[in-house]
């Protein structure tokens, strides 16, 4: 399962399928960490419903010792310097563990690479070093996938910006020291109707006029919380703008769309773990005098599941490889995110089916995997949005 796409010929004439020793090391190191440091804590966090600070700090400390904190950032700013394929491998292995706990493995938002001037010292550097944690804030009660439909606005007032509005479903916001917030800063009249201009701001927790409130209780990823952000005449200077004023889509498209690869990769990792449970059980459990894995009803399930997992794995790594090669990858990333997350739903469901009633009991983590899988088809762009991206990419060249 560690084979990946590796492109060694810069003329594009040769593609090799196989992991380098360095990539094998990434997979083995991260998988070992997850198995030794994350798995033993999962039941406790599931029952607590949150990650105590001492546990979070301990995970961060151990990751820093390994040299993997902020591995998705270039070495020039203190990160690990992994390319897209290598980072997808890392995320795939982290996907095996509880998201509430692996959150502290430390992968700040790449969009912080857009920091300039004093923003580098205030936000980028401490995020990469682990001194501060960030959270991304786009979604609103009336604007999820429709980013231009957001109602949180910033208006000019005496040289500053005054922000009003609400954000919700902000993942990991309970641990964030600052937030990367997208708001509407104007409207353009176009032939297709009014379109809002979007600007990205960096907002510190505790800033006047800005409140971080508890979010909703989710059935997926217990202990990994979402929060609600309230802006009430929150005044910010120009220094808090990330990128250019009205340039929110530019920084978003430059840095954020590849996050869908992360979701796909983590879905593959979680599916592998669920499949391993099902495979082992099918080989050990006996009914009617023989292993249940020898019954075609089970053996064919196993064959279908591993084929789907492998397909999702390759789709994901192929999309990451295209990014590393500087090739267009929007459709390929959408395909990976769509297929991997829907595959995860099927794998977790069938793993439970293979176990029978025991699969739903708390003695096993399968029911948790099943619940956790549900959100993957929604966040970072719903399955419907991914299908829209894919079909639009196919039809546009034909005038559609």
């Amino acid at each position: 399962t560690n084979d990946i796409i590796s492109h060694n010929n810069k003329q594009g004439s040769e593609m090799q399928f196989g992991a380098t020793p360095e990539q094998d090391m990434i997979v083995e190191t991260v998988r070992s960490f997850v198995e030794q440091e994350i798995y033993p804590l999962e039941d406790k966090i599931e029952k607590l419903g949150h990650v105590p600070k001492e546990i979070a700090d301990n995970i961060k400390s151990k990751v820093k010792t390994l040299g993997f904190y902020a591995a998705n950032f270039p070495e020039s700013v203190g990160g690990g310097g992994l390319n897209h394929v290598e980072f997808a491998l890392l995320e795939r292995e982290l996907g095996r563990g509880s998201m509430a706990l692996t959150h502290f493995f430390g992968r700040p938002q790449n969009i912080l690479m857009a920091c300039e001037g004093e923003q580098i010292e205030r936000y980028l550097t401490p995020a990469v070093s682990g001194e501060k944690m960030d959270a991304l804030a786009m979604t609103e009660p009336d604007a999820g996938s429709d980013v231009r439909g957001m109602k949180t606005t910033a208006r000019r007032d005496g040289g500053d910006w005054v922000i009003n509005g609400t954000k919700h479903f902000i993942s990991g916001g309970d641990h964030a020291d600052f937030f990367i917030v997208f708001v509407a800063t104007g409207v353009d009249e176009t032939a297709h109707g009014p379109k809002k201009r979007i600007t990205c701001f960096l907002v510190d927790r505790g800033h006047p006029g800005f409140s971080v409130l508890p979010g909703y209780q989710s059935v997926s990823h217990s202990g990994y919380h979402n929060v609600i952000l309230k802006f009430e005449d929150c005044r910010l200077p120009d220094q808090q703008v990330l990128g250019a004023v009205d340039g929110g889509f530019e920084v978003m498209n430059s840095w954020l769309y590849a996050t869908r690869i992360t979701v796909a990769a983590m879905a593959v990792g979680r599916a592998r773990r669920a499949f391993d449970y099902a495979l082992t059980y099918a080989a050990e459990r006996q009914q009617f005098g023989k292993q249940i894995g020898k019954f075609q009803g089970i053996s064919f399930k196993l064959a279908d599941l591993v084929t789907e997992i492998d397909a999702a794995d390759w789709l994901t790594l192929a999309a990451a490889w295209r990014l590393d090669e500087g090739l267009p990858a929007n459709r390929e990333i959408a395909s990976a995110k769509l297929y991997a997350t829907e595959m995860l739903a099927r794998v977790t469901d069938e793993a439970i089916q293979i176990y029978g009633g025991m699969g739903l009991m708390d003695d096993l983590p399968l029911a948790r995997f099943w619940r956790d899988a549900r959100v993957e088809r929604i966040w970072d762009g719903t399955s419907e949005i991914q299908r829209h991206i894919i079909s639009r990419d196919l039809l546009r060249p034909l005038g559609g």
Side-chain angles (χ1 to χ4, degrees):
T1 62
N2 295 346
D3 285 351
I4 65 160
I5 291 178
S6 176
H7 185 70
N8 293 332
N9 188 316
K10 294 306 177 184
Q11 280 69 47
S13 61
E14 179 183 349
M15 185 183 294
Q16 294 185 354
F17 294 78
T20 66
E22 292 78 10
Q23 290 161 345
D24 279 333
M25 183 274 290
I26 292 169
V27 170
E28 292 164 8
T29 301
V30 179
R31 183 178 299 182
S32 176
F33 184 91
V34 171
E35 290 175 349
Q36 295 176 23
E37 304 294 341
I38 302 298
Y39 286 5
L41 296 170
E42 289 179 337
D43 286 344
K44 178 177 181 177
I45 299 308
E46 186 74 9
K47 292 181 175 64
L48 281 177
H50 71 278
V51 180
K53 186 176 185 303
E54 60 272 18
I55 290 178
D57 290 344
N58 187 46
I59 292 172
K60 287 172 69 175
S61 176
K62 288 179 177 178
V63 174
K64 290 176 188 177
T65 300
L66 280 178
F68 275 86
Y69 200 90
N72 54 323
F73 277 72
E75 294 178 6
S76 60
V77 297
L82 299 189
N83 63 26
H84 288 96
V85 165
E86 292 163 348
F87 189 60
L89 292 172
L90 181 149
E91 290 285 10
R92 190 184 71 188
E93 297 312 312
L94 290 183
R96 291 173 174 269
S98 160
M99 183 169 282
L101 291 160
T102 59
H103 177 62
F104 299 99
F105 200 90
R107 291 95 74 214
Q109 296 289 338
N110 281 93
I111 197 172
L112 291 173
M113 286 299 294
C115 285
E116 296 179 349
E118 67 173 19
Q119 293 175 347
I120 295 173
E121 186 177 344
R122 289 184 60 194
Y123 300 105
L124 173 60
T125 300
V128 170
S129 68
E131 294 172 45
K132 291 183 178 180
M133 296 195 77
D134 62 277
L136 189 68
M138 276 194 284
T139 306
E140 299 182 5
D142 295 318
S145 298
D146 179 16
V147 176
R148 288 195 188 271
M150 62 177 57
K151 296 180 180 177
T152 300
T153 60
R155 60 177 175 83
R156 279 290 194 187
D157 182 64
D160 289 338
W161 295 94
V162 178
I163 303 180
N164 283 283
T166 301
K167 299 284 183 183
H168 76 165
F169 294 157
I170 310 307
S171 302
D174 49 332
H175 296 284
D177 299 288
F178 67 93
F179 295 79
I180 304 160
V181 185
F182 289 83
V183 302
T185 45
V187 179
D188 289 324
E189 295 298 331
T190 73
H192 302 287
K195 284 191 175 180
K196 292 180 180 177
R197 299 193 300 270
I198 306 297
T199 301
C200 183
F201 290 87
L202 297 165
V203 188
D204 293 305
R205 180 186 287 271
H207 191 84
F210 174 52
S211 303
V212 181
L213 308 174
Y216 313 99
Q217 189 68 35
S218 173
V219 300
S220 295
H221 298 301
S222 179
Y224 183 65
H225 298 153
N226 64 86
V227 300
I228 297 169
L229 308 182
K230 292 276 191 183
F231 296 89
E232 298 171 300
D233 290 332
C234 177
R235 185 175 290 271
L236 295 171
D238 275 336
Q239 289 90 329
Q240 299 307 113
V241 173
L242 182 63
V245 172
D246 298 332
F249 278 101
E250 183 178 343
V251 292
M252 195 185 303
N253 292 333
S254 297
W255 297 105
L256 291 183
Y257 81 112
T259 60
R260 288 174 284 155
I261 292 179
T262 293
V263 179
M266 295 187 79
V268 171
R270 182 59 58 92
R272 294 264 187 221
R273 185 176 175 193
F275 178 79
D276 288 345
Y277 271 93
L279 179 63
T280 300
Y281 189 73
E284 294 176 351
R285 171 75 164 162
Q286 294 205 357
Q287 291 283 274
F288 307 104
K290 60 180 178 180
Q291 299 163 324
I292 63 171
K294 292 185 176 179
F295 292 102
Q296 190 177 90
I298 301 298
S299 64
F300 278 22
K301 280 186 194 294
L302 295 172
D304 289 341
L305 294 181
V306 78
T307 300
E308 289 197 51
I309 295 170
D310 286 346
D313 204 357
W314 283 108
L315 268 176
T316 303
L317 293 170
W321 173 83
R322 289 184 68 86
L323 285 180
D324 285 333
E325 292 298 305
L327 298 171
N330 201 32
R331 174 174 66 82
E332 288 80 3
I333 293 171
S335 293
K337 200 273 183 184
L338 169 66
Y339 187 79
T341 56
E342 295 197 346
M343 171 277 298
L344 177 60
R346 292 188 290 269
V347 170
T348 53
D349 189 77
E350 290 287 20
I352 289 174
Q353 194 69 18
I354 289 170
Y355 264 87
M358 199 64 202
L360 289 170
M361 302 300 113
D362 284 342
D363 301 64
L364 295 166
L366 293 175
R368 170 162 58 85
F369 297 164
W370 184 51
R371 294 194 308 271
D372 291 349
R374 189 60 188 87
V375 74
E376 308 299 340
R377 287 174 280 161
I378 296 174
W379 60 14
D380 273 279
T382 62
S383 288
E384 291 73 21
I385 287 293
Q386 306 309 321
R387 287 185 168 93
H388 171 69
I389 292 169
I390 296 163
S391 59
R392 182 183 61 189
D393 186 88
L394 294 172
L395 290 168
R396 271 185 175 172
L398 305 175

